Amino acid sequence: MLRLRIFVTGDKMDFEKSIDRLKEIIDLLENGKTSLSESLELYKEAVELSVNCKQELENARTQVTSSEIK
């Protein structure tokens, strides 16, 4: 059975859970057992997760940079 979990906009996973979910999505897409519509939904979820991860990394970089300046 396909493990398809749609990322709901507004609900935010922490960074580590987001990375784990991205890995799951990659595995699901690479195994070739998802339909086109499932693949598209997984892709959309992955994009949303990657944007959130990038934002969290930028926030962490800002915190480190501002700590170094002080």
Side-chain angles (χ1 to χ4, degrees):
M1 182 173 178
L2 173 66
R3 189 167 173 214
L4 180 63
R5 179 179 8 159
I6 305 303
F7 183 79
V8 179
T9 304
D11 291 347
K12 199 166 183 179
M13 290 186 201
D14 66 20
F15 183 80
E16 290 78 13
K17 287 182 183 175
S18 294
I19 294 296
D20 289 342
R21 181 60 182 152
L22 282 167
K23 290 176 185 177
E24 281 182 64
I25 291 170
I26 290 167
D27 290 341
L28 288 168
L29 292 173
E30 286 182 342
N31 77 20
K33 296 181 182 177
T34 57
S35 68
L36 179 59
S37 63
E38 291 170 332
S39 295
L40 287 171
E41 290 303 316
L42 288 167
Y43 176 80
K44 289 177 190 176
E45 180 182 356
V47 169
E48 181 101 17
L49 288 167
S50 66
V51 167
N52 290 338
C53 286
K54 182 179 179 183
Q55 184 176 6
E56 284 197 46
L57 288 171
E58 288 298 323
N59 291 343
R61 183 185 329 218
T62 301
Q63 288 178 1
V64 168
T65 304
S66 66
S67 294
E68 290 174 352
I69 293 172
K70 291 180 181 179

